[in-house]
């Protein structure tokens, strides 16, 4: 049996302009452990607000789309490297906020630390050790501290030779701990009910979400251009479609002909598609709820009816295809 790939996230703990974190992350990423996939998770791109979820993170009841995206992303990794600056004897607010947004997604996984600052970021790392321990994470023993005056050339990370040995030892311990802790991970809240399995695979969620985002972007662009061929660009040859009125249509050619007629008139009002929720039952499979919301009204100030679509996408040889869909009219709550 082939060795499974270990997915490690290098989380960038600074969002300041002209930050040194980018060169530190590049230096960490240059050490590629065997059978590992290193992914940079940049908090400057995560778009997380300051924590304002109504329920504590340990309950897993996320109401904000930004939190759900963050949950899906973080849950898909086997371990983490936190790259932190030191601000006022501690870590950065943005990194603490990102950690506080979640709970079970972190639990039962190892975490390693790379600090940098005037005194090597040592105190930031020590604070992170206690924070991550409270989240149920296992902090690996070796960590790396980079001194601003001795391990940088201006803003560029240029560590002393012994720092590279520390980095390699840290990553080696991190990868070994991912294997050791895998059987001990606590299931996420609400992921099962007795013998009823939870189908969502966190490791597959990032790919599934990206596929749905790509589909929705194409639907929006095609609807605006009234281009039926682009609208159906991700439809599989044997796509199965259920209309809101009980009719079932099968096959790309059949659906493409229908969409050509609808867009030629056009019958459907100008609309925007937006993702409501995604599910990744397995690698290469995505299930999504997507809302179609008209952008106009009926001329009397009343919004036109919207629809909710259920889409199923499947990956084949590196390409995602729509395998099935079902449209259901919805009414906005009054």
């Amino acid at each position: 049996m082939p060795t499974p790939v270990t997915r490690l996230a290098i989380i960038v703990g600074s969002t300041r302009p002209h930050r040194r974190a980018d060169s530190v992350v590049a230096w960490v990423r240059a050490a590629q452990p065997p059978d590992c996939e290193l992914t940079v998770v940049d908090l400057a791109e995560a778009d997380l607000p300051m924590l304002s979820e109504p329920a504590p993170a340990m309950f897993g009841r996320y109401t904000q789309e930004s939190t759900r995206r963050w949950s899906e992303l973080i849950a898909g990794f086997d371990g983490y490297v936190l790259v932190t600056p030191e601000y006022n004897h501690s870590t950065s607010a943005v990194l603490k906020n990102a950690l506080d947004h979640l709970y079970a997604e972190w639990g039962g996984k190892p975490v390693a630390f790379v600090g940098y600052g005037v005194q090597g970021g040592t105190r930031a790392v020590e604070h992170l050790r206690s924070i991550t321990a409270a989240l149920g994470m296992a902090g690996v023993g070796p960590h790396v501290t980079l001194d601003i005056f001795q391990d940088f050339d201006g803003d560029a990370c240029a560590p002393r030779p012994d720092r590279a040995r520390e980095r390699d030892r840290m990553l080696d311990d991190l990868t070994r701990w991912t294997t050791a802790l895998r059987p001990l991970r606590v299931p996420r809240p609400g992921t099962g009910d007795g013998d009823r399995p939870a189908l969502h695979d966190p490791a597959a969620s990032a790919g599934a979400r990206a596929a749905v985002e790509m589909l929705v972007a194409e639907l929006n662009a095609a609807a605006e251009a009234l281009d039926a061929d682009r609208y159906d660009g991700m439809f599989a040859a044997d796509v199965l479609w259920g209309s809101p009125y009980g009719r079932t249509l099968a096959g790309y050619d059949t659906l493409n002909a229908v969409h050509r007629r609808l867009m030629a008139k056009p019958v459907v009002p100008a609309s925007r598609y937006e993702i409501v929720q995604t599910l990744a039952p397995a690698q290469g499979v995505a299930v999504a709820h997507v809302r179609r919301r008209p952008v106009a009204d009926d001329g009397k100030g009343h919004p036109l009816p919207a629809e909710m679509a259920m889409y199923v996408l499947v990956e084949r040889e590196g390409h995602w295809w729509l395998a099935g869909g079902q449209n259901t009219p919805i009414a906005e709550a009054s």
Side-chain angles (χ1 to χ4, degrees):
M1 179 179 295
T3 303
V5 173
T6 298
R7 300 190 70 233
L8 302 177
I10 305 174
I11 300 181
V12 189
S14 172
T15 57
R16 293 177 63 181
H18 314 299
R19 60 190 179 183
R20 292 182 172 92
D22 292 327
S23 62
V24 175
V25 168
W27 176 75
V28 174
R29 198 178 187 187
Q32 178 62 57
D35 300 317
C36 282
E37 178 183 299
L38 299 178
T39 301
V40 176
V41 175
D42 192 342
L43 296 181
E45 300 174 356
D47 196 27
L48 280 174
M50 290 302 291
L51 180 60
S52 56
E53 285 284 351
M58 66 176 59
F59 296 148
R61 297 199 295 267
Y62 306 132
T63 63
Q64 297 171 10
E65 180 61 24
S66 57
T67 309
R68 288 194 288 265
R69 287 197 306 267
W70 182 238
S71 170
E72 289 184 0
L73 175 63
I74 291 303
F77 293 105
D78 302 303
Y80 312 92
V81 179
L82 303 183
V83 174
T84 179
E86 183 171 309
Y87 299 152
N88 301 315
H89 288 217
S90 189
T91 188
S92 65
V94 69
L95 181 52
K96 178 65 163 62
N97 183 58
L99 291 166
D100 289 344
H101 263 78
L102 309 177
Y103 185 78
E105 294 84 349
W106 304 113
K109 298 178 185 179
V111 59
F113 310 93
V114 177
Y116 63 94
V118 173
Q119 295 182 329
T122 303
R123 293 164 298 197
V125 168
E126 290 308 310
H127 279 192
L128 282 172
R129 284 193 181 277
S130 61
I131 293 166
T132 54
L135 291 170
M137 305 172 79
V140 301
H143 63 256
V144 179
T145 56
L146 301 173
D147 188 287
I148 291 295
F149 301 109
Q150 300 185 66
D151 295 308
F152 287 81
D153 181 6
D155 289 339
C157 185
R160 291 162 284 172
D162 58 333
R163 295 294 184 259
R165 291 191 291 271
E166 293 173 359
R167 173 198 63 190
D168 296 346
R169 187 161 62 95
M170 175 193 72
L171 291 173
D172 181 61
D173 273 24
L174 181 65
T175 54
R176 290 190 293 111
W177 273 98
T178 59
T179 302
L181 291 175
R182 190 171 281 116
L184 304 179
R185 292 183 190 161
V186 178
R188 295 175 65 187
T191 57
D193 180 13
D195 295 330
R196 188 184 301 276
L199 301 181
H200 182 69
D201 179 3
S205 62
R209 177 79 187 191
V212 177
E213 288 175 349
M214 180 169 58
L215 172 66
V216 167
E218 286 298 290
L219 294 179
N220 280 324
E224 184 175 350
L226 297 177
D227 185 341
D229 292 340
R230 183 171 185 179
Y231 191 89
D232 299 341
M234 292 179 63
F235 285 34
D238 55 352
V239 62
L240 190 65
W241 195 274
S243 80
Y245 312 107
R247 184 183 177 194
T248 298
L249 303 172
Y252 169 84
D253 291 339
T254 300
L255 278 166
N256 185 247
V258 171
H259 290 155
R260 280 171 175 265
R261 289 197 301 270
L262 291 175
M263 291 187 179
K265 294 186 179 180
V267 175
V268 180
S271 305
R272 293 294 297 174
Y273 293 84
E274 54 190 37
I275 301 171
V276 177
Q277 196 161 357
T278 60
L279 174 72
Q283 289 288 350
V285 180
V287 180
H289 263 148
V290 174
R291 180 184 290 112
R292 181 187 66 79
R293 191 188 302 276
V295 296
D297 57 35
D298 63 357
K300 301 177 182 178
H302 301 297
L304 293 165
E307 287 184 336
M308 183 74 79
M310 172 74 82
Y311 293 143
V312 179
L313 292 92
V314 177
E315 185 182 19
R316 285 289 185 271
E317 299 179 353
H319 296 278
W320 284 86
W321 300 97
L322 185 67
Q326 172 70 52
N327 281 353
T328 304
I330 59 173
E332 297 293 338
S334 58

